[in-house]
Amino acid sequence: MASHIYTTALSCLLLLLLSSFSQCQAQQQQLSPTFYDNTCPNALNIIRDAVRQAVSRERRMAASLIRLHFHDCFVQGCDASILLDESPTIKSEKTALPNHASARGYDVIEAAKRELEKACPGIVSCADVLSVAARDATVAAGGPSWTVKLGRRDSTTASRNIDLPSPFANLDTLISSFATKGLNTRDMVALSGAHTLGQAQCFLFRDRIYGNRTDIDAGFASTRRRKCPKDTGNGNLAPLDLVTPNSFDNNYYKNLLQKKGLLQSDQVLFSGGATDSIVSEYARSSRAFQEDFASAMIKMSEIQPLTGQNGIIRKVCGALN
């Protein structure tokens, strides 16, 4: 009897120790805003300086860095897989259709990483650089700030299976696409507001401006045709927000109310569907939009991160060590 009690007590102790160890492991693998406080205390300043310099040279770069982060997180999680160059073992995401000749900002991330490697070699992941850079790019364009949790690690693989929302998607498809990533409808509408910045290529909106549709303002369509000919100029660029293309504001939503969304995936957010009320709210209140955008960006930046012993810390973001 005494032996049974002893064995039971020992088993319980072992379970308790194992449980504590598992909890400790889980805590170590959680993302934290203080992750680099001891190992690379100047990391955030280094990234911010690189982003500020890039955006000051070219205002459009703010949009590009936000988009780069989005395109990374929606493909096998926020693991910097989008930064990997083609190699004998890597099929690069850079040349996949949604990224080819459009995704940009790689050089800004590499510039920040080079400085980080000088300050604290092998410590800060490219995935974390990308997450912080998206935040700092938003701020540089006049948008909100938020606290980025850190501790992501970098993937050793990339995926050509690019599961990104299409600029031609309808509302139900958009809602479903974001839901599969753990983002709700409000998150989707808020994140779409990143289109208050940046530009789109002509072939992505040509059908919309030449289609004599009822969901587009005729004068707006006419204006956009000037730089997007009917049969040529696929790569010609046009600002997503014609009024304030370089300022992070809520004008994107005001445009939608007036049927002046450039992409189909923009205008469907205000087309008599489930998201009309959210668009109207953001058009009225810049504060509501910016708060929700910051919240949604935090959620997006935590899609399937590699932590703990998973992944690596790349020395150069475009290649494996």
Side-chain angles (χ1 to χ4, degrees):
M1 181 72 174
S3 174
H4 173 71
I5 293 172
Y6 174 77
T7 302
T8 302
L10 186 60
S11 297
C12 288
L13 180 60
L14 273 170
L15 284 171
L16 184 61
L17 288 171
L18 285 170
S19 174
S20 298
F21 177 72
S22 296
Q23 288 175 356
C24 180
Q25 257 192 335
Q27 288 171 353
Q28 288 175 343
Q29 293 179 6
Q30 287 176 353
L31 300 179
S32 165
T34 61
F35 190 83
Y36 297 115
D37 280 10
N38 295 323
T39 56
C40 192
N42 203 34
L44 296 184
N45 290 332
I46 291 171
I47 299 169
R48 183 190 62 209
D49 288 347
V51 171
R52 281 181 174 175
Q53 290 172 21
V55 175
S56 67
R57 289 193 300 268
E58 182 193 8
R59 292 286 290 175
R60 181 187 166 204
M61 187 54 68
S64 297
L65 290 170
I66 297 168
R67 182 173 184 260
L68 196 61
H69 182 40
F70 172 70
H71 280 219
D72 180 49
C73 291
F74 263 61
V75 180
Q76 70 177 38
C78 303
D79 60 0
S81 61
I82 196 172
L83 304 178
L84 285 169
D85 293 322
E86 191 81 12
S87 76
T89 59
I90 298 293
K91 295 295 184 183
S92 179
E93 294 171 21
K94 292 182 178 183
T95 53
L97 186 60
N99 298 326
H100 182 60
S102 65
R104 54 202 299 274
Y106 304 110
D107 55 333
V108 180
I109 303 303
E110 290 287 9
K113 178 62 171 172
R114 281 194 298 271
E115 293 306 311
L116 288 166
E117 286 299 302
K118 293 176 186 176
C120 38
I123 298 297
V124 182
S125 69
C126 298
D128 276 345
V129 176
L130 199 47
S131 295
V132 174
R135 188 271 310 273
D136 292 345
T138 302
V139 173
S145 184
W146 58 88
T147 299
V148 179
K149 294 180 184 178
L150 304 163
R152 297 165 193 78
R153 289 168 67 85
D154 301 324
S155 70
T156 56
T157 63
S159 174
R160 296 279 295 185
N161 183 23
I162 306 295
D163 184 22
L164 286 163
S166 166
F168 309 106
N170 62 34
L171 183 59
D172 288 343
T173 301
L174 288 173
I175 291 173
S176 175
S177 177
F178 278 76
T180 61
K181 306 299 179 183
L183 299 165
N184 62 36
T185 301
R186 195 171 183 89
D187 296 328
M188 184 269 289
V189 179
L191 289 171
S192 297
H195 283 183
T196 188
L197 301 171
Q199 303 185 61
Q201 296 182 72
C202 175
F203 79 96
L204 296 174
F205 59 87
R206 180 183 283 117
D207 288 348
R208 178 163 161 72
I209 62 174
Y210 284 99
N212 295 317
R213 306 161 61 110
T214 59
D215 65 345
I216 187 168
D217 177 83
F220 173 77
S222 178
T223 299
R224 293 313 186 106
R225 289 177 194 142
R226 295 172 190 167
K227 293 189 177 180
C228 184
K230 197 167 187 176
D231 302 312
T232 60
N234 280 352
N236 290 1
L237 293 171
L240 289 157
D241 173 10
L242 193 58
V243 183
T244 55
N246 293 315
S247 297
F248 195 98
D249 54 29
N250 66 335
N251 203 64
Y252 167 81
Y253 300 101
K254 296 177 182 179
N255 292 339
L256 300 185
L257 298 185
Q258 299 170 34
K259 298 184 179 181
K260 294 180 180 179
L262 186 60
L263 303 177
Q264 177 178 317
S265 57
D266 292 326
Q267 194 58 56
V268 294
L269 301 182
F270 192 79
S271 57
T275 55
D276 281 15
S277 60
I278 305 173
V279 170
S280 297
E281 178 186 351
Y282 291 162
R284 290 192 307 269
S285 173
S286 179
R287 179 177 180 179
F289 160 51
Q290 297 209 11
E291 287 178 352
D292 284 358
F293 181 83
S295 176
M297 285 292 283
I298 292 171
K299 288 177 68 174
M300 188 188 77
S301 74
E302 296 174 15
I303 296 174
Q304 298 176 301
L306 298 172
T307 58
Q309 297 303 307
N310 297 315
I312 62 173
I313 305 298
R314 291 188 218 137
K315 297 176 182 177
V316 175
C317 291
L320 301 180
N321 297 339

